[in-house]
Amino acid sequence: MSMTDEIKKPQKVKKKKKKSFSEAFIPRKGDSKKEIASKVFSLISLAVLIVCIVILGVYFYHQFEAKKNNENIKVIYNQAQQKNEAAVTEDQTLVDESVPEVERPPLVKTSAAEEMLAINKDYAGYVYIPNVMSEAVVKTDNNEYYLNHNFYDQTRSCGTVFADYRNVVNDYSDKVSDNIILYGHNQRDGTMFGNMDYYKWDYKYWLKNPYIYFDNHYSSGTYVIISSFVINTEPEHDNGNVFDYNNYINFQSEGTYTYENFIKEITERSHFITGVDVNEDDKFLTLSTCTYEWEPARHVIVARKLRSGETTDDIDITKFTVNPNPKWPAIYYKYNGGSYQE
């Protein structure tokens, strides 16, 4: 026998035929119960995966869209606002309160307000903190619609910053609400009221960004932040108590919603003490957003409007201190220990 006869030729390995999609996933006649169950499970898993991809895709597209819309609105607003700067010399909403309303000069909308109202008839104003946030504000007859509608009236989860429907935002100064309350989502990407979180734990953040600017249809206002706190919305989270800051819109002379009660509550609860003085003739601006210390909770920032003739140079920020004993709801102490010392 020759050597070549002793060497066996390698046998050819038969390749498995690849299954088509229908063979792999669609139940067929002759499949066992195990194969049918496996294919059904695979189809359901595939469907769930596709739905999740679509949902995530829509979410991220809406986030991208919201940023682009915000940038476009900001450009439109700023360009229109520049037209006003040369013409505006004083706040036209400040009038002698003794003058009958019928004799007061008519208020004239700014160019910026006209531009924004042309886009959305519910436009109420524009709020911004330099390097922190910049948002158009709307107002309608309820506090639900703009939770999930953007400034262009499209259904979007990011919504739009809106003023409490009970507020008077655009009128002569003596007719405007004592406390204008603005609501906005706490967006994880920092848009809307997403950057407000820094006021809770980075106490130097206030020193860098102590002012909020809010422009209505007729004038521009500057506000200095005087309080930042976290509050419960459910009574069971604070032994049956809720500080309903959102109902302090026009201060009462007596009862629950007085100026004195408002100042007492926001001072005791604040994470920091600014040293900025306040009085019962002041106007206030409140920003409210969701926060995640527990569910549900709200982070609230309150600011005082600068008085007539007062400028940012008149605000003494050297008295700023961290509050060593802020008042939290009971649920906070349950999970973090400690207690409020009155």
Side-chain angles (χ1 to χ4, degrees):
M1 183 182 291
S2 66
M3 291 179 62
T4 55
D5 291 334
E6 293 179 356
I7 301 174
K8 293 182 179 180
K9 293 182 179 179
Q11 294 181 347
K12 291 184 177 180
V13 178
K14 289 184 178 180
K15 293 182 178 180
K16 282 188 177 182
K17 184 182 177 182
K18 289 184 178 180
K19 291 183 178 181
S20 64
F21 177 85
S22 62
E23 289 175 327
F25 294 99
I26 307 298
R28 300 162 64 90
K29 186 177 180 180
D31 286 346
S32 66
K33 290 182 179 180
K34 184 177 180 181
E35 287 177 316
I36 292 173
S38 176
K39 288 180 177 181
V40 170
F41 178 77
S42 297
L43 283 173
I44 294 173
S45 300
L46 182 61
V48 170
L49 177 62
I50 292 172
V51 170
C52 289
I53 291 173
V54 171
I55 291 174
L56 281 173
V58 171
Y59 171 80
F60 285 115
Y61 172 74
H62 284 175
Q63 295 296 306
F64 171 77
E65 178 191 59
K67 283 187 176 182
K68 293 298 293 183
N69 286 344
N70 181 269
E71 291 171 3
N72 292 337
I73 291 170
K74 185 177 180 180
V75 169
I76 293 171
Y77 183 82
N78 287 338
Q79 288 178 344
Q81 188 74 347
Q82 289 174 4
K83 299 176 184 178
N84 300 317
E85 291 181 356
V88 175
T89 56
E90 59 182 12
D91 185 351
Q92 61 173 320
T93 68
L94 294 174
V95 295
D96 184 349
E97 295 181 22
S98 64
V99 176
E101 290 186 48
V102 292
E103 296 180 13
R104 294 179 177 183
L107 295 172
V108 180
K109 293 183 179 69
T110 64
S111 298
E114 295 283 10
E115 290 276 2
M116 303 301 275
L117 285 165
I119 300 173
N120 187 327
K121 62 180 178 56
D122 291 334
Y123 171 76
Y126 200 89
V127 62
Y128 58 100
I129 303 175
N131 304 313
V132 177
M133 61 94 166
S134 180
E135 297 286 338
V137 177
V138 291
K139 177 179 172 292
T140 186
D141 60 359
N142 62 78
N143 284 346
E144 288 78 40
Y145 186 80
Y146 282 105
L147 285 170
N148 58 6
H149 286 79
N150 68 12
F151 192 69
Y152 294 100
D153 205 27
Q154 298 168 310
T155 303
R156 297 290 187 269
S157 60
C158 56
T160 310
V161 174
F162 61 93
D164 193 290
Y165 75 97
R166 297 166 294 178
N167 274 137
V168 175
V169 178
N170 290 288
D171 208 331
Y172 294 100
S173 58
D174 60 318
K175 301 296 181 181
V176 171
S177 299
D178 294 332
N179 182 26
I180 295 174
I181 304 173
L182 306 184
Y183 305 97
H185 288 304
N186 185 353
Q187 296 293 91
R188 299 289 184 140
D189 62 359
T191 57
M192 303 286 283
F193 286 172
N195 284 331
M196 279 175 50
D197 282 347
Y198 290 103
Y199 287 100
K200 291 187 298 184
W201 54 268
D202 183 358
Y203 300 112
K204 292 181 180 179
Y205 201 71
W206 181 87
L207 295 172
K208 299 175 185 175
N209 310 285
Y211 301 106
I212 304 175
Y213 300 87
F214 180 63
D215 304 338
N216 65 13
H217 291 175
Y218 310 111
S219 63
S220 299
T222 302
Y223 297 75
V224 55
I225 297 172
I226 59 172
S227 179
S228 168
F229 57 90
V230 173
I231 190 67
N232 60 300
T233 62
E234 301 294 337
E236 57 265 31
H237 288 163
D238 194 25
N239 301 319
N241 300 310
V242 173
F243 169 43
D244 51 345
Y245 63 93
N246 54 312
N247 286 325
Y248 287 82
I249 292 176
N250 288 305
F251 302 127
Q252 302 170 347
S253 56
E254 57 184 25
T256 301
Y257 303 111
T258 64
Y259 163 81
E260 290 77 16
N261 283 349
F262 179 71
I263 295 301
K264 177 178 181 295
E265 290 284 358
I266 68 171
T267 302
E268 289 178 347
R269 298 176 186 275
S270 183
H271 303 142
F272 48 73
I273 301 169
T274 66
V276 175
D277 69 303
V278 294
N279 64 53
E280 59 185 4
D281 294 323
D282 287 327
K283 297 283 189 177
F284 299 89
L285 181 71
T286 295
L287 310 185
S288 174
T289 191
C290 294
T291 189
Y292 306 104
E293 282 78 4
W294 62 86
E295 181 62 34
R298 299 289 181 268
H299 178 205
V300 182
I301 286 179
V302 181
R304 168 179 75 75
K305 188 175 184 180
L306 267 59
R307 300 155 188 157
S308 178
E310 189 177 34
T311 69
T312 56
D313 292 334
D314 299 318
I315 304 299
D316 183 3
I317 65 173
T318 62
K319 298 177 182 178
F320 175 89
T321 59
V322 174
N323 188 351
N325 180 40
K327 183 179 180 181
W328 289 83
I331 190 173
Y332 173 84
Y333 300 111
K334 176 181 178 180
Y335 293 113
N336 296 277
S339 62
Y340 176 63
Q341 305 298 322
E342 294 190 28

